Amino acid sequence: MNRLPQAIVFCCLSLLLMPAAPAQAQESTQTALIGLATPLSTTRGQTLRDAVQQGIDDANKRNLVINGKRVIFKLFAVDDKNDNNLAAITARAMVNAGVIGVVGHLSTDASLIAAKIYNQAGIPMISPTTTARVFTQQGYRNVFQLLGHTDITGDYLANAALNIVKARRIMVVDNETGLGDALTSSFIKRLRSKGGDIVAHASVSQKTSDFNAVLEEARKQRVDMIFLAAIVPQGMAFAQRMQQQNIPASLMIAGGAVNYNFPQSSDEYGENTWILVHGLPEEKLPGFKSLEKSYSAKFSTNLIPQSLFAYDCVGVLVEAVKQADSLALDKLVTML
C-alpha cells in the first residue's frame, strides 16, 4: 500500500510554517501547477480549495530554487462535483494542464476512476480523504493516500462501539458507495471478531434523504447504536431524522460526516452522535495556531480536519519537489 511516511505527513504543518530562507537573485523563474480535484460548489470543496491555496502560499514564501530556477507554485482547481463521470473529465483536464501533482479526489469512487488516468500520465496523486483499501491496491506507484485505510478505521470504530458507546445491538447502514461498502465490511468484520452483535444491515442510496424504512427497522430490532457509512450532508440529515422520530439509539459515523463548524460546534448532530475523525486534535498539531491565524486572515471558510489533510498534501508534494530538485513527474513519484 502506498502510504506516505508518517514523519513526512505530520511534519508538514511545522515545515511549511518555518521562516522563509532569504530570497536568492535569479535570472528566471518557473511555474509549477498543483491540481485540486474536488466538488468546488460545496462548502467542503471550498474549504479544501482554500487549504490547498494556503499550502501553496506558504510554499512560495520559501523561495525554493529547483534546478537553478526559482519555482512559483500555482493552483489549478477543477470542480468534479464528486461525480464519477466528471472525475474522468477532470483528470484529463489535469493532464492537459501539465500539473506536477493532484490533491484529490474527495470520494473513493471518484478517486478510483481518476487514478487510472493519472497513472497513465505518471502524475502523482495524493488523496487527502480517500481511505478505501482498494485505492492503493491497484498497483499504481504514483497513487498515495494520506489517511489510514478502511481496515484500520474499521478497527477503531469497532473498539469505540464496544468500549466507549457500550453498544450491544448494532445496526449497520451503508450508502452504496465504494467507501461505504469497504467501511461497513471492515466494521462488521472487526466488530464480530471482538464479540459484537450486528442485528440488522441496510443500504440506502448516497443521494437519498428518505430514511423511514431504515429507522423503522432500527426501532423494530431495538438497536442501541446505528453505524452509518455516509458523508455530509447525508450524515446530518440522517441524524436529524433520528431525532425527529425519537429513535432511542446512538449514532456513529466516520470523519467524512464532520460538519463545517467542527470541532468548535457539532450542533447539527444530536447528543448521542459519535464521530471518529482522522488526525490529531488541534492542540497537538505543530504550528496549528500560526496556520489558523494566517488562514483566517484570508479565507472565510473553516479549517476542518479534511482541510488540514489537503494542506498537508501540498506540503508533501512540495517537499518531494525540493528533495528531487526537479519538477519531473517520475522523480517526484520516486521521492514520494
Side-chain angles (χ1 to χ4, degrees):
M1 181 183 71
N2 296 356
R3 283 195 59 205
L4 299 171
Q6 279 191 333
I8 292 180
V9 172
F10 291 112
C11 79
C12 289
L13 283 172
S14 55
L15 176 64
L16 293 187
L17 295 173
M18 290 175 62
Q24 302 179 30
Q26 298 295 320
E27 294 183 358
S28 60
T29 61
Q30 53 188 328
T31 299
L33 294 179
I34 294 179
L36 170 66
T38 194
L40 294 171
S41 57
T42 67
T43 304
R44 184 180 295 272
Q46 292 159 10
T47 63
L48 266 65
R49 175 202 60 203
D50 292 346
V52 169
Q53 183 62 63
Q54 180 69 48
I56 290 174
D57 292 346
D58 288 341
N60 284 331
K61 291 177 183 178
R62 298 172 65 185
N63 295 314
L64 293 181
V65 176
I66 303 301
N67 195 25
K69 296 181 181 180
R70 183 187 170 192
V71 61
I72 298 176
F73 298 99
K74 292 186 177 181
L75 174 63
F76 181 76
V78 181
D79 188 351
D80 70 352
K81 300 188 183 302
N82 209 25
D83 178 86
N84 291 348
N85 293 326
L86 288 177
I89 296 173
T90 297
R92 295 189 184 97
M94 295 290 179
V95 175
N96 293 335
V99 300
I100 64 165
V102 175
V103 178
H105 294 225
L106 181 66
S107 71
T108 293
D109 291 353
S111 295
L112 288 170
I113 292 170
K116 182 178 180 180
I117 297 170
Y118 297 136
N119 178 64
Q120 292 171 345
I123 296 175
M125 175 189 186
I126 310 175
S127 175
T129 52
T130 300
T131 57
R133 192 165 192 175
V134 66
F135 178 57
T136 51
Q137 289 184 324
Q138 302 174 96
Y140 300 154
R141 61 186 295 269
N142 64 304
V143 171
F144 306 88
Q145 63 186 56
L146 194 71
L147 306 180
H149 57 69
T150 43
D151 284 357
I152 298 173
T153 306
D155 195 52
Y156 275 99
L157 287 166
N159 280 329
L162 295 176
N163 301 320
I164 298 178
V165 184
K166 306 293 185 182
R168 293 297 176 263
R169 295 181 60 81
I170 300 171
M171 181 179 194
V172 173
V173 182
D174 69 74
N175 66 345
E176 298 181 338
T177 64
L179 176 60
D181 179 66
L183 195 54
T184 53
S185 295
S186 175
F187 175 72
I188 292 171
K189 179 180 178 181
R190 302 288 174 167
L191 190 80
R192 285 175 172 165
S193 72
K194 301 175 188 296
D197 188 16
I198 303 294
V199 298
H201 186 176
S203 297
V204 296
S205 167
Q206 63 176 318
K207 298 180 180 180
T208 190
S209 58
D210 180 3
F211 310 114
N212 290 333
V214 172
L215 295 178
E216 182 180 348
E217 181 67 13
R219 192 187 299 277
K220 178 181 177 182
Q221 295 294 337
R222 295 178 290 108
V223 304
D224 53 21
M225 193 196 90
I226 299 174
F227 170 64
L228 172 68
I231 62 175
V232 289
Q234 192 175 43
M236 287 189 285
F238 191 93
Q240 290 163 8
R241 290 298 293 160
M242 283 185 65
Q243 295 174 58
Q244 292 167 1
Q245 295 194 19
N246 295 315
I247 302 297
S250 298
L251 173 65
M252 178 175 284
I253 43 183
V258 166
N259 63 300
Y260 309 117
N261 297 317
F262 182 89
Q264 287 76 19
S265 170
S266 57
D267 293 340
E268 292 89 342
Y269 293 104
E271 294 182 357
N272 291 328
T273 301
W274 300 81
I275 305 177
L276 180 72
V277 182
H278 290 87
L280 295 173
E282 292 177 355
E283 62 271 15
K284 294 185 179 180
L285 287 173
F288 176 77
K289 290 298 183 183
S290 178
L291 171 62
E292 183 180 42
K293 181 178 180 180
S294 178
Y295 183 93
S296 299
K298 291 186 288 185
F299 307 112
S300 60
T301 56
N302 294 325
L303 273 173
I304 61 174
Q306 287 80 7
S307 306
L308 298 176
F309 304 150
Y311 179 90
D312 274 347
C313 285
V314 176
V316 171
L317 183 59
V318 170
E319 188 61 20
V321 169
K322 179 184 176 183
Q323 292 184 18
D325 191 30
S326 173
L327 297 177
L329 301 180
D330 58 336
K331 293 183 179 181
L332 297 184
V333 170
T334 299
M335 286 299 156
L336 288 168

